[in-house]
Amino acid sequence: MGKDFIYNEAMKKKKKIITSSILILIAFAVIGGFVYSLLPEQIPPNSPYLVGNTAGNLHNGGLFCEADGKVYFSNSYENGNLYSMNADETEIKKINDLSVFSINSGGDFLYFLQGTTRFSGDGFGIYRSNPGLYRSKANGRDLAVLKSGNILTATLGGNDIFYQDSDPLSLYRIGIDGENDRRLSTEATNPSSFANGVIYYSRTQDDHDVYTLDVQSGFSTLVFHANTYNAIYLDGYIYFMDLDNNYRLCRYSIFDNVIEVLTSDRVDFYNVGNGVIFYQKNSRSEPALIRMGIDGSGAEIVREGNHNSINMTSLYVYYRAFGDDVTIFRTPLYGPPSVSTFRP
């Protein structure tokens, strides 16, 4: 045999080996990709102290949520579709056409609930008839269902979403990756006020005292005795409606163990944050939305009439008139209490 023949045969064997190796690598890549696609999506972890929205907003439906200068909101003019904008109301964009509430933000993701919707726009037909807990990128992409069902409210705390299911009325938790869904408490616990690893809540069974629920152990601890409703923790105080005294608004100091009366008005709804409180005064003759300082000082009328869905951002408070679920009104948090209509 000539040297050329031997060389050519050797090259053919080398090419076969290289080709076989490439095919094996491709096969491993295909198999690996298939296996990876079956695994839960890897979501970057949040700080364990992250809170997805303010307690005051979540107690009022969680229709607005601010994070890193962006505001995500439920656009009632389009059946509650999810929108985003800057805090100064510039760069308004539609994110999806689901009917959303309990909006929470964490990292690059949004978490929200969808209720029933009549809207028949394009793009989300497979989801519109499926109420439940959802996650998406902040730009609306990668929409995923974390939990189907009629969920009443949800709060993102750290790397879990705490939600109140309607049947039975219990508190559950589920990871931000949609894994490890389990019941945390058999009580009807509202998870809206999450801070420092615990949930502050007004108990609804046996008494209406304020408790904390440790989200790791599931144990509840009494904070103080009072006949309360809609407890909200903020900066060392627990704000609440006093059921024994005509639903007046009070706050309890954790450090001083003292209860302060903030207003003697009967309160229907309230929101607290950014140094101010907005509340709906219940009155047959003079109902009104009121603004006052966080200590109860300087109370003034914002708008006469009955209102609900009081949601705050860093610049405005947004709310609706009772009986009108579409029109959104707004008032600056500070300065003269002017009223205007917000229309995205």
Side-chain angles (χ1 to χ4, degrees):
M1 295 183 181
K3 292 182 179 179
D4 291 342
F5 177 80
I6 295 173
Y7 175 78
N8 289 336
E9 288 298 311
M11 290 301 296
K12 287 180 181 179
K13 290 181 180 180
K14 186 175 182 181
K15 288 181 179 179
K16 287 182 179 179
I17 292 172
I18 292 173
T19 302
S20 299
S21 299
I22 292 173
L23 291 174
I24 290 171
L25 289 174
I26 292 173
F28 274 117
V30 171
I31 294 171
F34 175 73
V35 171
Y36 180 79
S37 69
L38 298 178
L39 295 175
E41 184 178 356
Q42 299 300 306
I43 306 298
N46 298 319
S47 161
Y49 301 104
L50 180 139
V51 179
N53 200 347
T54 66
N57 283 353
L58 292 170
H59 270 295
N60 284 273
L63 304 178
F64 284 74
C65 174
E66 183 172 354
D68 300 323
K70 283 288 185 182
V71 174
Y72 305 93
F73 66 97
S74 175
N75 184 359
S76 55
Y77 297 96
E78 291 191 30
N79 199 42
N81 296 170
L82 183 58
Y83 272 64
S84 71
M85 64 181 176
N86 295 327
D88 63 1
E89 300 181 347
T90 59
E91 298 184 15
I92 298 176
K93 298 178 183 178
K94 184 175 182 176
I95 294 179
N96 67 42
D97 62 5
L98 303 182
S99 182
V100 305
F101 62 103
S102 280
I103 305 169
N104 288 260
S105 175
D108 295 328
F109 291 87
L110 299 176
Y111 304 84
F112 50 87
L113 297 179
Q114 184 201 196
T116 56
T117 176
R118 300 181 302 277
F119 186 66
S120 58
D122 296 329
F124 294 91
I126 191 172
Y127 300 110
R128 277 194 298 274
S129 60
N130 186 20
L133 174 63
Y134 285 73
R135 182 193 68 223
S136 78
K137 293 280 183 64
N139 59 11
R141 296 176 182 173
D142 299 339
L143 185 68
V145 183
L146 301 184
K147 177 74 176 183
S148 295
N150 293 312
I151 300 173
L152 301 178
T153 186
T155 302
L156 171 64
N159 292 292
D160 289 286
I161 301 104
F162 305 96
Y163 66 92
Q164 196 174 37
D165 207 332
S166 59
D167 187 22
L169 193 59
S170 300
L171 181 66
Y172 293 79
R173 69 185 297 173
I174 188 171
I176 57 175
D177 57 0
E179 297 296 302
N180 203 17
D181 183 22
R182 69 273 196 199
R183 187 160 62 182
L184 186 60
S185 172
T186 57
E187 285 195 45
T189 305
N190 188 320
S192 296
S193 188
F194 173 87
N196 304 317
V198 299
I199 293 170
Y200 293 82
Y201 68 101
S202 296
R203 198 178 185 197
T204 57
Q205 295 177 211
D206 301 327
D207 59 62
H208 291 85
D209 298 336
V210 172
Y211 287 78
T212 58
L213 176 69
D214 186 295
V215 299
Q216 296 302 322
S217 67
F219 293 139
S220 292
T221 302
L222 174 69
V223 180
F224 67 97
H225 289 290
N227 196 5
T228 74
Y229 182 62
N230 275 2
I232 291 177
Y233 171 82
L234 181 65
D235 298 335
Y237 290 94
I238 298 174
Y239 296 80
F240 64 94
M241 295 157 64
D242 182 1
L243 302 186
D244 281 339
N245 293 281
N246 200 35
Y247 288 75
R248 67 187 182 182
L249 190 62
C250 302
R251 69 176 182 178
Y252 167 82
S253 171
I254 290 179
F255 303 110
D256 299 329
N257 193 29
V258 172
I259 293 177
E260 300 175 65
V261 178
L262 302 178
T263 178
S264 59
D265 291 338
R266 182 181 174 92
V267 173
D268 285 334
F269 310 98
Y270 78 99
N271 198 336
V272 54
N274 300 305
V276 291
I277 296 173
F278 285 79
Y279 69 89
Q280 173 59 42
K281 174 185 175 181
N282 181 306
S283 171
R284 290 187 177 183
S285 59
E286 298 177 326
L289 182 67
I290 306 293
R291 181 181 67 184
M292 64 182 178
I294 204 165
D295 59 356
S297 62
E300 54 188 341
I301 294 176
V302 173
R303 189 173 189 269
E304 296 179 350
N306 291 296
H307 307 83
N308 54 29
S309 304
I310 307 168
N311 281 245
M312 280 188 192
T313 67
S314 58
L315 296 179
Y316 295 98
V317 61
Y318 299 88
Y319 49 94
R320 300 175 187 172
F322 182 77
D324 182 356
D325 293 332
V326 175
T327 308
I328 304 173
F329 296 97
R330 66 163 171 244
T331 294
L333 291 191
Y334 315 109
S338 61
V339 178
S340 57
T341 301
F342 172 63
R343 181 66 191 258

